[in-house]
Amino acid sequence: MIVMLNKDPGGGKVQAQSLTSQSSFLSASDPRLHFGLGAASKASVEVRWPAGTTETFADLPVNQLVTIREGQGIVKSRPFR
């Protein structure tokens, strides 16, 4: 899955991160992605799923931990501390 975040819809900065599932004996990976947004108050997120579908979420508030599921959209959101 590739997640692209645009903190400046006027054509500014776009960040992209990839999330892959990995496993090996007695190990774990954190599935959360973290984006630095500076002084931005909102951001837009585009998720490109492995199946080829794309979902876009506009005007998301910052400082949130957001859970997104393929085909279901945002299923949970809470303040990030």
Side-chain angles (χ1 to χ4, degrees), residues 1-2 47-55 70-71:
M1 156 181 33
I2 297 173
V47 181
R48 295 183 184 174
W49 298 100
T53 59
T54 300
E55 292 182 272
E70 186 174 8

Side-chain angles (χ1 to χ4, degrees), residues 11-51:
K13 299 182 179 187
V14 175
Q15 298 177 40
Q17 293 186 29
S18 177
L19 178 64
T20 57
S21 65
Q22 300 174 358
S23 64
S24 64
F25 185 68
L26 294 176
S27 70
S29 297
D30 189 351
R32 298 176 295 182
L33 299 178
H34 181 266
F35 294 93
L37 300 176
S41 61
K42 293 187 178 189
S44 297
V45 174
E46 180 179 290
V47 181
R48 295 183 184 174
W49 298 100

